[in-house]
Amino acid sequence: MTIAIPMTKPNNPVYPMMIAIGVCHLINDTMQSVIPAMFPLLERDMGLTYTQLGFISFVLNMFASVLQPVVGAVTDKKPMPFALPLGMVSSFIGIAMLIFAPNYWMILIAVLFLGLGSAVFHPEGSRVSFMSAGNKRGLAQSIYQVGGNSGQALAPLISAFLILPFGMYGASIVLVFTAIGIFMLTKIAVWYRGQLEEEKLSNVKKRLISSLAPLTKKQVGIALSLLLIIIFARSFYTTNITNFYVFYLTDHYHLPIETGQLFIFLFMAFGVVGTFFGGSLSDRIGRKNVILLSVVAPIPLCLALPYVPLWLVVVLLIVIGSLLMISFSVMVVYAQELVPSKIGTMAGLTVGLAFGMGAIGSVAIGTLMDKIGIETTMIVISFLPILMLVAFALPKDQVARG
């Protein structure tokens, strides 16, 4: 396998590199998706409680989320191209340990390695996306995030067709793709290092040109706080659907687990579609307008979801998934434009917070389900997207021309 290493011209997108880092993001997040994919198996065969399942997700996502902004801050000062393949090596070790884990505690150790790999990959991967973007910032970040969200969307399919039929050994196929990802990331790291050397020789560093008007430190702080509230609410809600809604489908609608996982796949797959179109749409109509669309439109559908008949569940999951995730990549770009000098830090903060909120959400939702029941929990969580209405107070950005 070879990856062409094209020369970069100012404002010219490097599409091969955009796609390559997106594919590697897919592989990285496919490895992460093995964790929620195994939940039904662990609940069925090991008798783990919903709280224990939530804690497994907490360890994975919290470890990744806490380290991501740290890695981003460090690499903003000193970029580390070869951290990309090394991060995926850590994830490879985690998956291998997970396959052979004999007990609950070994599973927790395995997910630590997965969390470390994810924390290293995401800020540096986002930087490669930025360096290859040229004047297509929204598109580049969408391609990058589509890769990741596609990997996450594979979780229910991995569960239904690999792990439930074959046990944890069914996840072995993921190791093959991980090895391919390590090879690709090594090639990408060579290109990345070449870009850094080119910048050094020309004495001109690539900088992000913000579409936002100049803001004071206080205004930037308020805007970031609002953005983090939106990410908090979205992450809690999506964690509920991706990790626990399958139990509601089997309990309330009496679906087999395999069929329920296909419902979750539809939610996540159409979230990938929304992510892709959101980035390019934001290049045309503005970041804030896309965020507002993603915030306002899903609220009534989320409130209705616990009460609708089964045939309508499919429709609502597709529409909610598409709308919620249409702003996923846009919010990363928006945060980077709030603080243009901290590309890696902002990517680590926004994506890392999504992981972190997902981690806390997993424990909170699992505990709620154990204490108040599945159905009541789904009703309570349906109100969370209302918090996202704080998006109306975000600063307005300008639409790029040309």
Side-chain angles (χ1 to χ4, degrees):
M1 180 185 297
T2 59
I3 298 175
I5 303 179
M7 297 299 293
T8 305
K9 296 180 180 179
N11 295 322
N12 282 1
V14 186
Y15 292 107
M17 205 50 57
M18 274 191 212
I19 295 169
I21 195 63
V23 170
C24 290
H25 198 183
L26 184 151
I27 294 170
N28 181 83
D29 283 25
T30 297
M31 289 185 287
Q32 313 300 314
S33 73
V34 169
I35 303 303
M38 72 183 184
F39 278 6
L41 180 75
L42 296 177
E43 190 266 345
R44 184 188 71 186
D45 295 350
M46 291 183 64
L48 298 185
T49 65
Y50 296 125
T51 302
Q52 287 175 311
L53 296 178
F55 193 69
I56 291 172
S57 182
F58 174 84
V59 171
L60 169 68
N61 292 326
M62 185 55 70
F63 199 73
S65 68
V66 168
L67 287 181
Q68 273 196 52
V70 176
V71 172
V74 169
T75 56
D76 275 333
K77 295 179 180 178
K78 183 177 176 57
M80 301 177 184
F82 287 93
L84 284 165
L86 288 175
M88 193 160 285
V89 168
S90 175
S91 295
F92 184 98
I93 293 170
I95 290 290
M97 291 178 63
L98 194 62
I99 291 170
F100 299 104
N103 54 50
Y104 177 66
W105 296 106
M106 189 58 71
I107 290 172
L108 292 180
I109 295 172
V111 300
L112 284 177
F113 279 91
L114 282 165
L116 175 61
S118 180
V120 171
F121 175 84
H122 281 96
E124 285 296 84
S126 187
R127 193 188 311 279
V128 171
S129 172
F130 162 70
M131 296 179 81
S132 65
N135 59 358
K136 300 291 184 181
R137 290 282 298 119
L139 176 63
Q141 190 62 221
S142 280
I143 291 173
Y144 176 66
Q145 295 298 348
V146 160
N149 291 351
S150 297
Q152 293 170 25
L154 292 175
L157 299 185
I158 291 172
S159 177
F161 298 110
L162 290 178
I163 293 180
L164 286 173
F166 304 110
M168 282 309 302
Y169 296 108
S172 300
I173 187 69
V174 177
L175 290 177
V176 177
F177 292 102
T178 305
I180 295 171
I182 293 169
F183 176 79
M184 291 181 67
L185 284 173
T186 302
K187 294 289 188 180
I188 290 171
V190 172
W191 177 85
Y192 180 178
R193 183 178 63 183
Q195 295 300 298
L196 294 176
E197 291 173 352
E198 187 179 296
E199 286 180 4
K200 188 175 180 180
L201 289 173
S202 64
N203 203 29
V204 177
K205 185 176 180 180
K206 281 190 175 182
R207 295 184 61 87
L208 185 152
I209 299 175
S210 178
S211 63
L212 294 163
L215 301 171
T216 65
K217 286 186 178 180
K218 181 178 180 180
Q219 288 173 320
V220 169
I222 292 172
L224 280 174
S225 299
L226 295 175
L227 209 59
L228 298 185
I229 291 172
I230 299 167
I231 293 172
F232 157 78
R234 186 192 64 200
S235 297
F236 255 64
Y237 187 83
T238 55
T239 295
N240 179 60
I241 298 296
T242 57
N243 287 6
F244 296 103
Y245 190 67
V246 66
F247 298 113
Y248 181 73
L249 291 171
T250 58
D251 181 75
H252 187 76
Y253 297 103
H254 310 294
L255 291 180
I257 290 177
E258 292 81 358
T259 304
Q261 292 287 24
L262 294 179
F263 277 55
I264 307 305
F265 171 73
L266 286 174
F267 171 83
M268 300 178 79
F270 278 87
V272 172
V273 175
T275 299
F276 178 76
F277 286 106
S280 55
L281 184 63
S282 75
D283 284 334
R284 294 196 297 271
I285 70 171
R287 319 289 186 214
K288 181 177 178 179
N289 288 334
V290 172
I291 293 172
L292 288 176
L293 173 64
S294 178
V295 161
V296 176
I299 290 176
L301 307 181
C302 294
L303 291 171
L305 184 61
Y307 308 102
V308 298
L310 184 60
W311 68 267
L312 192 52
V313 167
V314 177
V315 177
L316 292 190
L317 285 176
I318 287 173
V319 178
I320 292 171
S322 302
L323 291 172
L324 280 179
M325 301 307 289
I326 202 171
S327 65
F328 190 94
S329 64
V330 177
M331 282 197 264
V332 177
V333 175
Y334 189 91
Q336 290 173 333
E337 292 184 344
L338 282 170
V339 190
S341 62
K342 302 291 183 182
I343 298 296
T345 305
M346 290 300 102
L349 180 65
T350 51
V351 179
L353 184 77
F355 276 99
M357 290 300 100
I360 296 170
S362 290
V363 174
I365 295 166
T367 303
L368 271 179
M369 288 173 65
D370 282 331
K371 291 187 178 299
I372 66 176
I374 297 173
E375 188 162 345
T376 306
T377 299
M378 294 301 131
I379 293 171
V380 170
I381 298 299
S382 71
F383 286 90
L384 266 178
I386 295 174
L387 290 176
M388 298 191 298
L389 291 174
V390 299
F392 280 100
L394 288 171
K396 182 76 174 175
D397 59 300
Q398 297 174 346
V399 181
R401 301 296 179 188

